[in-house]
Amino acid sequence: MSKVTVVGAGNVGATCADVLAYREIAEEIVLVDIKEGVAEGKALDIWQKAPINQYDSRTVGSTNDYSKTANSDVVVITSGLPRKPGMTRDDLIETNAGIVKSVTENVIKHSPNAIIIVVSNPLDVMTYQAHLTSKLPRNKVMGMAGILDTARYRAFLADELNVSGKEIQAILMGGHGDTMVPLPRYTTVAGIPVTELIAKDKLDAIIERTKFGGGELVKLMGTSAWYAPGSAAAQMVEAILKNQRRVFPVCIKLEGEYGIDDCYLGVPVILGKNGIEKVIELDLNDEEKALLETSRGHVKEVMNVLDGLSK
């Protein structure tokens, strides 16, 4: 019996749980939240629409009782404060690091063999925090960012080209945020290089919009996005539980890949039943390497802030 726990029953967590149930990705989904009754209410709401949408996945809610999460195969951590207008991801680090540390300790206590997917921001550094706390192998602790970022990139390209987003394949690398590294050279539309279909200035504009895609939504709504992030996390869970061995950009601790050591960055990986089955190393050109190094430097700075907090 497959079991998934989603910690944090806010917009992102509830969306993730809903997608997991609706698509019958897991047989049991447990929602956990610190606020009394919220997880129970949203889990019940999701279950009550099962007869309408014709699915059998059961959803259960819990107010801070992690015993209900026992023996989860995958745990998705969405807990933490969302960004507000004018707030950077880095502003969130101290508060959210404490939250992620506490959540991870509780998760591991009841599900020591679980694979952990971190969605909390700042994403790369919260993945670092979860890895430090869990002491699990690096293939079992990862961050969700690249799937969301590539989805935004692909959606913008689909608009510009007036084609189905299904036809667009893309890879991004680096940190989640303003220093992410979209790779036009590895972007195709039904196998056709995107550079043959769109002018460079328009492509550059789309890349810039992608880099600030999260901020654009914060400005519009006054809070962070949730439909796309929640769906992206669910897609990672599906790849793991169904051993799909799909290639996704995922945040992982690099150990020499791309010439980078001891830094958490988004890179293409094969995702399957053991979590990250393999890190794929692309042959980057000098410009792409320079952009990745800039992103590495930014993430490392914030990792150093986290290290300083623990001293």
Side-chain angles (χ1 to χ4, degrees):
M1 180 174 177
S2 56
K3 182 175 181 178
V4 176
T5 288
V6 180
V7 185
N11 289 332
V12 175
T15 298
C16 180
D18 186 35
V19 174
L20 290 170
Y22 179 71
R23 296 183 59 185
E24 295 186 318
I25 291 169
E27 292 169 85
E28 182 181 0
I29 300 120
V30 181
L31 258 179
V32 181
D33 201 273
I34 196 169
K35 189 174 180 181
E36 185 73 36
V38 171
E40 290 89 339
K42 291 189 178 182
L44 182 59
D45 193 16
I46 293 169
W47 173 238
Q48 287 175 350
K49 73 181 180 69
I52 300 169
N53 289 339
Q54 301 288 293
Y55 57 80
D56 295 313
S57 297
R58 293 299 299 259
T59 46
V60 177
S62 168
T63 300
N64 233 24
D65 178 6
Y66 282 84
S67 65
K68 292 184 179 180
T69 72
N71 301 313
S72 293
D73 298 293
V74 182
V75 175
V76 180
I77 300 176
T78 72
S79 307
L81 297 178
R83 282 195 298 167
K84 297 296 182 183
M87 181 185 289
T88 68
R89 284 189 174 88
D90 297 357
D91 292 334
L92 298 174
I93 183 168
E94 185 170 5
T95 300
N96 283 359
I99 293 170
V100 170
K101 182 176 187 292
S102 174
V103 167
T104 305
E105 288 170 345
N106 283 305
V107 161
I108 291 300
K109 179 180 177 182
H110 295 282
S111 302
N113 298 314
I115 292 170
I116 296 176
I117 298 171
V118 179
V119 184
S120 308
N121 279 319
L123 187 281
D124 312 286
V125 184
M126 292 306 104
T127 305
Y128 175 35
Q129 178 66 75
H131 195 191
L132 282 176
T133 304
S134 69
K135 299 180 175 61
L136 290 171
R138 69 167 182 159
N139 65 296
K140 298 188 74 174
V141 184
M142 65 200 76
M144 186 294 296
I147 294 176
L148 170 61
D149 294 331
T150 53
R152 288 170 174 162
Y153 179 43
R154 292 160 64 197
F156 299 153
L157 287 170
D159 280 341
E160 178 62 34
L161 296 169
N162 195 24
V163 300
S164 168
K166 298 175 186 177
E167 300 294 343
I168 300 172
Q169 292 296 316
I171 287 287
L172 296 96
M173 293 178 62
H176 180 49
D178 306 345
T179 63
M180 73 177 75
V181 185
L183 299 171
R185 205 159 55 90
Y186 291 98
T187 304
T188 60
V189 182
I192 304 166
V194 73
T195 50
E196 295 184 14
L197 299 174
I198 187 169
K200 186 179 185 304
D201 60 335
K202 290 185 177 180
L203 183 56
D204 289 344
I206 287 171
I207 288 171
E208 284 305 299
R209 188 182 179 192
T210 303
K211 288 181 179 180
F212 298 95
E216 179 181 356
L217 289 163
V218 170
K219 288 178 182 177
L220 288 168
M221 302 188 296
T223 189
S224 299
W226 61 88
Y227 294 125
S231 298
Q235 189 173 54
M236 290 177 68
V237 174
E238 182 176 35
I240 292 166
L241 290 183
K242 296 183 179 181
N243 193 29
Q244 292 176 331
R245 298 186 65 84
R246 296 196 64 180
V247 177
F248 290 133
V250 169
C251 179
I252 182 177
K253 179 186 181 185
L254 295 180
E255 296 179 344
E257 296 91 354
Y258 296 96
I260 297 172
D261 196 42
D262 196 27
C263 188
Y264 291 74
L265 285 174
V267 294
V269 306
I270 297 173
L271 208 54
K273 64 180 180 180
N274 298 307
I276 294 171
E277 305 281 353
K278 180 182 179 181
V279 175
I280 297 173
E281 288 197 69
L282 303 175
D283 185 15
L284 302 181
N285 60 33
D286 289 343
E287 180 184 1
E288 293 160 347
K289 288 177 183 176
L291 290 171
L292 186 61
E293 175 57 25
T294 297
S295 192
R296 183 207 66 80
H298 175 78
V299 171
K300 196 65 178 177
E301 282 181 13
V302 189
M303 286 176 62
N304 289 341
V305 172
L306 181 62
D307 290 338
L309 292 172
S310 61
K311 291 180 181 176

